[in-house]
Protein backbone atom coordinates (compact mmCIF):
# COMPACT_ATOMS: atom_id res chain seq x y z
CA UNK A 1 0.00 0.00 0.00
CA UNK A 2 2.85 2.37 0.84
CA UNK A 3 4.57 1.52 -2.43
CA UNK A 4 1.53 2.49 -4.50
CA UNK A 5 1.21 5.76 -2.59
CA UNK A 6 4.90 6.47 -3.15
CA UNK A 7 4.64 5.74 -6.92
CA UNK A 8 1.60 8.02 -7.22
CA UNK A 9 3.40 10.76 -5.30
CA UNK A 10 6.49 10.55 -7.55
CA UNK A 11 4.31 10.55 -10.68
CA UNK A 12 2.42 13.63 -9.42
CA UNK A 13 5.69 15.46 -8.72
CA UNK A 14 7.08 14.61 -12.16
CA UNK A 15 3.84 15.68 -13.82
CA UNK A 16 3.82 19.01 -11.97
CA UNK A 17 7.48 19.63 -12.93
CA UNK A 18 6.68 18.84 -16.56
CA UNK A 19 3.67 21.18 -16.58
CA UNK A 20 5.70 23.92 -14.88
CA UNK A 21 8.36 23.72 -17.59
CA UNK A 22 5.73 23.94 -20.33
CA UNK A 23 4.07 26.93 -18.64
CA UNK A 24 7.46 28.65 -18.27
CA UNK A 25 8.26 28.13 -21.95
CA UNK A 26 4.87 29.45 -23.05
CA UNK A 27 5.11 32.55 -20.84
CA UNK A 28 8.69 33.42 -21.87
CA UNK A 29 8.04 32.84 -25.57
CA UNK A 30 5.57 35.72 -25.52
CA UNK A 31 8.22 38.03 -24.03
CA UNK A 32 10.62 38.09 -26.99
CA UNK A 33 12.53 41.31 -27.24
CA UNK A 34 11.52 43.88 -29.84
CA UNK A 35 14.91 43.49 -31.54
CA UNK A 36 14.30 39.79 -32.07
CA UNK A 37 10.85 40.46 -33.49
CA UNK A 38 12.20 43.16 -35.82
CA UNK A 39 15.07 40.93 -36.91
CA UNK A 40 12.64 38.11 -37.68
CA UNK A 41 10.38 40.50 -39.58
CA UNK A 42 13.33 41.76 -41.64
CA UNK A 43 14.53 38.26 -42.48
CA UNK A 44 11.01 37.26 -43.50
CA UNK A 45 10.74 40.38 -45.60
CA UNK A 46 14.01 39.59 -47.34
CA UNK A 47 12.90 36.10 -48.29
CA UNK A 48 9.45 37.30 -49.38
CA UNK A 49 10.72 40.10 -51.61
CA UNK A 50 13.79 38.63 -53.23
CA UNK A 51 14.18 35.71 -55.55
CA UNK A 52 17.60 34.13 -56.17
CA UNK A 53 17.07 33.82 -59.94
CA UNK A 54 19.77 36.03 -61.47
CA UNK A 55 17.53 37.70 -64.06
CA UNK A 56 14.93 38.52 -61.42
CA UNK A 57 17.63 39.85 -59.09
CA UNK A 58 18.91 42.16 -61.82
CA UNK A 59 15.37 43.41 -62.47
CA UNK A 60 14.84 43.91 -58.75
CA UNK A 61 18.13 45.82 -58.42
CA UNK A 62 16.85 48.29 -61.01
CA UNK A 63 13.58 48.83 -59.11
CA UNK A 64 13.62 52.42 -57.83
CA UNK A 65 10.77 51.75 -55.40
CA UNK A 66 13.14 49.78 -53.15
CA UNK A 67 14.79 51.45 -50.19
CA UNK A 68 18.54 51.48 -49.65
CA UNK A 69 18.15 48.84 -46.90
CA UNK A 70 16.21 46.57 -49.24
CA UNK A 71 18.91 47.02 -51.88
CA UNK A 72 21.56 46.15 -49.31
CA UNK A 73 19.61 43.00 -48.39
CA UNK A 74 19.44 42.16 -52.10
CA UNK A 75 23.21 42.69 -52.40
CA UNK A 76 23.81 40.36 -49.44
CA UNK A 77 21.60 37.73 -51.03
CA UNK A 78 23.43 38.09 -54.35
CA UNK A 79 26.81 37.71 -52.62
CA UNK A 80 25.69 34.56 -50.84
CA UNK A 81 24.04 32.91 -53.86
CA UNK A 82 25.98 33.98 -56.97
CA UNK A 83 29.73 33.39 -56.93
CA UNK A 84 31.93 34.77 -59.69
CA UNK A 85 34.53 32.09 -59.13
CA UNK A 86 38.08 32.31 -60.44
CA UNK A 87 39.01 33.91 -63.70
CA UNK A 88 39.88 31.25 -66.29
CA UNK A 89 40.76 33.54 -69.21
CA UNK A 90 40.80 37.19 -70.22
CA UNK A 91 37.47 36.77 -71.98
CA UNK A 92 34.39 36.81 -69.78
CA UNK A 93 31.87 34.05 -70.30
CA UNK A 94 28.19 34.94 -70.61
CA UNK A 95 27.32 33.70 -67.11
CA UNK A 96 29.96 35.90 -65.51
CA UNK A 97 28.90 38.90 -67.60
CA UNK A 98 25.33 38.37 -66.43
CA UNK A 99 26.46 38.26 -62.79
CA UNK A 100 28.48 41.44 -63.28
CA UNK A 101 25.37 43.10 -64.76
CA UNK A 102 23.87 42.87 -61.28
CA UNK A 103 26.59 45.25 -60.05
CA UNK A 104 25.70 47.73 -62.81
CA UNK A 105 21.98 47.44 -62.06
CA UNK A 106 22.41 48.05 -58.33
CA UNK A 107 24.95 50.85 -58.83
CA UNK A 108 22.64 52.65 -61.26
CA UNK A 109 19.68 52.58 -58.84
CA UNK A 110 19.08 56.09 -57.48
CA UNK A 111 18.13 54.72 -54.07
CA UNK A 112 21.37 52.76 -53.56
CA UNK A 113 23.59 54.65 -51.16
CA UNK A 114 27.34 54.89 -51.73
CA UNK A 115 27.75 52.63 -48.68
CA UNK A 116 25.59 49.91 -50.23
CA UNK A 117 27.42 50.11 -53.55
CA UNK A 118 30.78 50.05 -51.76
CA UNK A 119 29.64 47.10 -49.63
CA UNK A 120 28.78 45.09 -52.74
CA UNK A 121 32.08 46.01 -54.37
CA UNK A 122 34.23 45.11 -51.34
CA UNK A 123 32.45 41.84 -50.58
CA UNK A 124 32.64 40.64 -54.19
CA UNK A 125 36.35 41.48 -54.34
CA UNK A 126 36.93 39.46 -51.16
CA UNK A 127 35.43 36.31 -52.65
CA UNK A 128 36.43 36.86 -56.29
CA UNK A 129 39.77 38.68 -56.20
CA UNK A 130 40.62 37.72 -59.79
CA UNK A 131 37.71 39.88 -61.02
CA UNK A 132 38.67 43.11 -59.21
CA UNK A 133 39.02 45.15 -62.40
CA UNK A 134 35.76 43.87 -63.83
CA UNK A 135 33.88 44.53 -60.58
CA UNK A 136 35.14 48.13 -60.60
CA UNK A 137 34.36 48.55 -64.30
CA UNK A 138 30.77 47.32 -63.97
CA UNK A 139 30.26 49.50 -60.90
CA UNK A 140 31.51 52.51 -62.87
CA UNK A 141 29.11 51.67 -65.71
CA UNK A 142 26.24 51.67 -63.21
CA UNK A 143 27.33 54.96 -61.70
CA UNK A 144 27.62 56.46 -65.20
CA UNK A 145 24.07 55.30 -66.01
CA UNK A 146 22.92 56.86 -62.77
CA UNK A 147 24.61 60.15 -63.64
CA UNK A 148 23.04 60.15 -67.11
CA UNK A 149 19.59 59.65 -65.54
CA UNK A 150 20.26 62.50 -63.10
CA UNK A 151 21.40 64.80 -65.90
CA UNK A 152 18.27 64.04 -67.92
CA UNK A 153 15.97 64.84 -65.00
CA UNK A 154 17.76 68.09 -64.13
CA UNK A 155 17.86 69.31 -67.73
CA UNK A 156 14.18 68.52 -68.38
Amino acid sequence: MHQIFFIILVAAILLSIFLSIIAYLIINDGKKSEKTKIKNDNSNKKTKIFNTDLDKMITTAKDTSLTDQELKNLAQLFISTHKLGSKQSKELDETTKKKLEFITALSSNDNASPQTISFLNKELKKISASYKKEIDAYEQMGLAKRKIKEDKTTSS
Side-chain angles (χ1 to χ4, degrees), residues 39-124:
K39 185 177 179 181
N40 288 340
D41 288 347
N42 286 342
S43 65
N44 289 342
K45 189 175 185 181
K46 183 166 68 171
T47 54
K48 287 179 190 172
I49 292 177
F50 305 130
N51 188 316
T52 58
D53 175 68
L54 185 57
D55 290 325
K56 289 181 182 175
M57 289 183 87
I58 291 169
T59 302
T60 304
K62 293 177 183 179
D63 184 355
T64 56
S65 70
L66 294 178
T67 65
D68 179 53
Q69 184 59 50
E70 290 169 327
L71 290 168
K72 186 168 187 175
N73 291 344
L74 181 63
Q76 289 170 333
L77 183 63
F78 175 80
I79 291 164
S80 66
T81 57
H82 294 283
K83 309 294 182 207
L84 294 174
S86 302
K87 193 186 261 187
Q88 303 299 320
S89 69
K90 290 185 178 186
E91 293 293 317
L92 295 174
D93 60 80
E94 292 304 311
T95 306
T96 304
K97 284 182 184 178
K98 195 78 166 169
K99 290 176 183 178
L100 290 167
E101 276 183 45
F102 176 82
I103 300 167
T104 301
L106 188 116
S107 300
S108 68
N109 190 317
D110 294 334
N111 295 335
S113 69
Q115 292 83 7
T116 297
I117 297 168
S118 176
F119 167 78
L120 177 63
N121 184 306
K122 287 177 187 174
E123 293 301 312
L124 286 175

